[in-house]
Amino acid sequence: TAYSLPTSLHFENYKAIFENFFIKDVPKAYGTGTKVVKLTDMYLYTVLYCLGSALCQTTVQCVTAYLCAKFKYKLSKVVETIVIVVMIIPVVGSLPSEIQVSRDLGLYNHIFGMWVMKANFLGMYFLIFLGVFKNISMTYTEAAKIDGASNASIMLKIIFPLVRNVFLTVVLVNFIAFWKDYQTPLIYLESFPTVSYGLWQILFLSTPTNG
């Protein structure tokens, strides 16, 4: 069998999938009843979910790592220990309690609720930010303090610009990870299906079952 490049481009296939692919009987987040979600809506939900979650998670990890690196308190060591312990010891069986807590707090089935749930300091990227901040010279902060700068000004105007490339890289990596994740929207965002969830549903519905 010979393989070759296509002789012409057929964009009508992309047009057809955008016009004809949809998910029916999706429950509405506000009120009762169901709705139909098209592929364009899925892309919108995906961008909102992935970008917001990536920014919230990376920002919390970055700020927490900076506080632990530059302010030597006992709580700083406690936070570092918690991150390492959570990475070493797998947490099993917490999903039912997480769903119940998210329902009680009003975070379930809301995109902004996922931003809040993802805004935590746990994970490997906290350790990356921690190492970066510990290697930044204190000369910058000492000079700013002499000029009368506050801790918030030093963090936002001096330190964070120095780690801008690291911050954007982590945001991009988190964005890609959230984009490929279909399990979280499947469980927590039943009214806002993402593209990954839609592709999973196509695969699930098109896979023949035995019996």
Side-chain angles (χ1 to χ4, degrees):
T1 304
Y3 296 94
S4 61
L5 295 174
T7 56
S8 61
L9 299 177
H10 300 277
F11 293 101
E12 59 270 13
N13 295 330
Y14 295 95
K15 180 180 179 181
I17 190 66
F18 271 95
E19 292 179 349
N20 300 323
F21 176 65
F22 55 86
I23 301 178
K24 299 187 298 182
D25 300 329
V26 176
K28 294 182 179 179
Y30 310 100
T32 59
T34 60
K35 63 180 179 179
V36 175
V37 178
K38 297 182 178 180
L39 187 59
T40 52
D41 299 323
M42 296 182 202
Y43 271 105
L44 175 61
Y45 297 152
T46 302
V47 172
L48 292 176
Y49 162 65
C50 296
L51 185 59
S53 298
L55 286 174
C56 290
Q57 186 176 74
T58 307
T59 301
V60 172
Q61 290 175 336
C62 183
V63 173
T64 307
Y66 172 76
L67 297 177
C68 292
K70 295 304 178 182
F71 297 94
K72 304 300 182 181
Y73 296 111
K74 293 182 179 180
L75 183 60
S76 301
K77 294 297 182 182
V78 173
V79 172
E80 295 179 31
T81 304
I82 291 175
V83 173
I84 295 175
V85 170
V86 171
M87 292 179 63
I88 295 176
I89 302 177
V91 180
V92 181
S94 63
L95 182 59
S97 60
E98 290 179 2
I99 295 177
Q100 185 60 45
V101 171
S102 65
R103 289 180 182 273
D104 295 339
L105 296 178
L107 304 177
Y108 183 81
N109 201 24
H110 297 289
I111 293 180
F112 77 88
M114 292 308 306
W115 298 353
V116 175
M117 294 178 64
K118 295 297 183 181
N120 61 77
F121 59 87
L122 303 175
M124 178 183 65
Y125 299 117
F126 167 84
L127 300 178
I128 293 177
F129 282 121
L130 185 66
V132 172
F133 287 130
K134 285 185 177 180
N135 289 325
I136 294 179
S137 175
M138 294 293 292
T139 305
Y140 301 103
T141 59
E142 292 174 354
K145 286 182 179 179
I146 293 174
D147 293 335
S150 62
N151 290 326
S153 298
I154 293 173
M155 180 179 66
L156 296 175
K157 297 181 179 180
I158 298 177
I159 301 300
F160 279 8
L162 296 176
V163 298
R164 178 178 54 204
N165 292 337
V166 178
F167 182 88
L168 294 178
T169 301
V170 175
V171 169
L172 178 60
V173 173
N174 282 329
F175 180 88
I176 295 173
F178 291 135
W179 185 281
K180 296 187 297 182
D181 179 26
Y182 73 91
Q183 292 180 330
T184 301
L186 176 64
I187 297 172
Y188 291 97
L189 296 175
E190 59 182 2
S191 298
F192 305 96
T194 60
V195 175
S196 297
Y197 169 75
L199 295 176
W200 172 84
Q201 190 179 63
I202 292 177
L203 178 63
F204 178 78
L205 295 178
S206 61
T207 302
T209 57
N210 295 328

